[in-house]
Structures are given as C-alpha cells and as structure tokens.
Amino acid sequence: MANKDEIIAKARESIMEFDSEMAEEAAQEAIKAGVNPVEMIENGYTAAMNEVGKQFEQGKLFLPHVLAASEAMNAGIKVLKPEMEKVKAQTQSKGKVVIGTIEGDIHSIGKDIVSSMLGIAGFDVIDLGRDVPIAQFVASVKEHKPVVVASSALMTTTMVNQIQIEEQLKEAGVRAGVKTMIGGAPCTQDWANKIGANIYGESASDAVAKVKAAAGV
C-alpha cells in the first residue's frame, strides 16, 4: 500500500494531468490508508489547482486545461466527501458562511475550493453558485444570518459589482451584522479597503484562516 506522501503526490499529479480517474483512485487510496481528508485536499488537490492557476496566469495553460483540472479535483473531492461529512459530524458548527461568484461571472473554480475548505473547517456553507445576482447575496444574509458573506470575481469587469454588495447590504440594514469577504484573481487588499470589505482572501487557505478569525474560532 502506498504511504501518505505517495498518495498526496498522486492527487497532485492527477490534477496536473487533468485525470479524473486518477484523482478518484488517489482519494480511494487515501481513505484506505486513513489519510486525513483535509490534508489530502489541501496538500494534494488544492496545491495542484493553485499551480494550474499560476500557469494559466502565465499563459502556459488555457481555460480548457483549467476546467479539466477542476473536473479532476471535483471527482476526487466527491469520493472524499463522505469521510469529510464524518469529520464534520463530530465537530460543532463554527457558524454559517454565504458564498458565491458575483453576477456576470461564470467562473467558479476558486469559489468551489474555498467553499469545500470552509466546509471541511466546520462551517455551514451556503453556496449560491456562480453568476449570482446581488439581491440574492442580500436575501441570503437576511435568511441565514451568516458570520461572513463572500463574493468571488475573476474578471475586472465583474469585480466592480462587489461594491453593490456593500451598498445593498447597507440599504437592507444588515451590513453591520455580517463580515464581507472578497476574492478572485483581480481582487487585492487595496480593492477590499476601497469598497469597505472586511476581508480579502488572497488564497483558499488564507480565506479560511481569515473566516475562522472573523468567527472567533
């Protein structure tokens, strides 16, 4: 049987090779070997997806590669999900997080990674999906009363809509009761400061750490 490091390396390779079957095999091996599913996702699939993202930004990979890598990662996570649910069932919920990709933007890879990792970390995640109208973010904050509402934008043309989340939460009278988080390739700490967002998630692990801090856990 392969050891933990070999299994995690296989998970990374499956993403870099865009191989869903290999990703599933690695996940099954991880379960048999008793590898922590969180470690498997963070050090295996997510680490490789971050590398795919970097190569995409550098023009070494293209959108079909990114989508194929994302499909492979989702295939692996699907196998690990029952194990993650067992871990989650043993821990108390750390609070709710509403998350979605901003209106006009159909990219969901980064958001999906953050959503999965927040779930693993013990948060109840209300994932609104992609191309989410601003009004839906506001309605979800009213309904679920989350600790954090997070929006992802992958294009400069859609990140401007993140301002509307701030404005419409204020208009609805619920802005004071929730922390806002932004993320995505074109977003920066300066942009968060400019629009009044509480948190900028530079990477998936950074976003999770900052949500934990915001929730006081």
Side-chain angles (χ1 to χ4, degrees):
M1 185 187 285
N3 65 33
K4 183 177 81 171
D5 290 343
E6 287 168 342
I7 293 168
I8 289 173
K10 184 172 180 176
R12 281 198 297 268
E13 186 186 352
S14 71
I15 304 304
M16 301 308 295
E17 296 289 332
F18 322 116
D19 190 332
S20 295
E21 280 185 26
M22 192 197 292
E24 287 175 3
E25 280 172 20
Q28 286 157 357
E29 287 175 22
I31 292 168
K32 281 180 192 164
V35 178
N36 184 314
V38 178
E39 202 175 340
M40 180 70 171
I41 291 170
E42 285 188 350
N43 298 338
Y45 302 124
T46 303
M49 273 308 300
N50 288 338
E51 179 57 32
V52 168
K54 278 181 198 164
Q55 291 192 23
F56 175 65
E57 284 170 22
Q58 292 163 0
K60 293 175 183 174
L61 292 176
F62 301 96
L63 191 57
H65 299 119
V66 177
L67 295 174
S70 178
E71 278 177 26
M73 185 185 78
N74 287 337
I77 288 176
K78 194 175 179 183
V79 174
L80 291 173
K81 210 150 200 177
E83 297 303 309
M84 285 152 49
E85 292 299 331
K86 285 181 199 170
V87 174
K88 195 174 170 185
Q90 294 161 9
T91 57
Q92 268 191 316
S93 171
K94 294 184 170 76
K96 294 178 182 177
V97 178
V98 167
I99 188 169
T101 303
I102 203 82
E103 188 170 4
D105 203 321
I106 59 165
H107 299 84
S108 65
I109 295 159
K111 184 268 298 173
D112 289 347
I113 294 172
V114 173
S115 182
S116 295
M117 286 177 64
L118 284 169
I120 294 164
F123 290 92
D124 288 327
V125 181
I126 298 97
D127 190 338
L128 305 179
R130 56 192 185 179
D131 192 16
V132 181
I134 309 302
Q136 198 176 337
F137 281 102
V138 177
S140 292
V141 169
K142 284 181 177 176
E143 180 184 350
H144 299 289
K145 297 179 174 55
V147 179
V148 171
V149 55
S151 64
S152 172
L154 271 289
M155 301 185 292
T156 51
T157 51
T158 57
M159 67 188 273
V160 294
N161 291 331
Q162 290 173 323
I163 300 169
Q164 288 301 315
I165 292 180
E166 299 292 331
E167 295 302 321
Q168 291 190 30
L169 286 172
K170 285 175 192 167
E171 285 172 22
V174 292
R175 176 64 183 88
V178 67
K179 296 277 196 299
T180 56
M181 178 168 77
I182 63 162
C187 299
T188 61
Q189 184 62 56
D190 284 346
W191 176 242
N193 296 344
K194 186 175 180 181
I195 67 173
N198 299 102
I199 303 165
Y200 163 57
E202 187 174 5
S203 64
S205 51
D206 183 53
V208 173
K210 286 174 177 172
V211 170
K212 280 183 176 177
V217 296

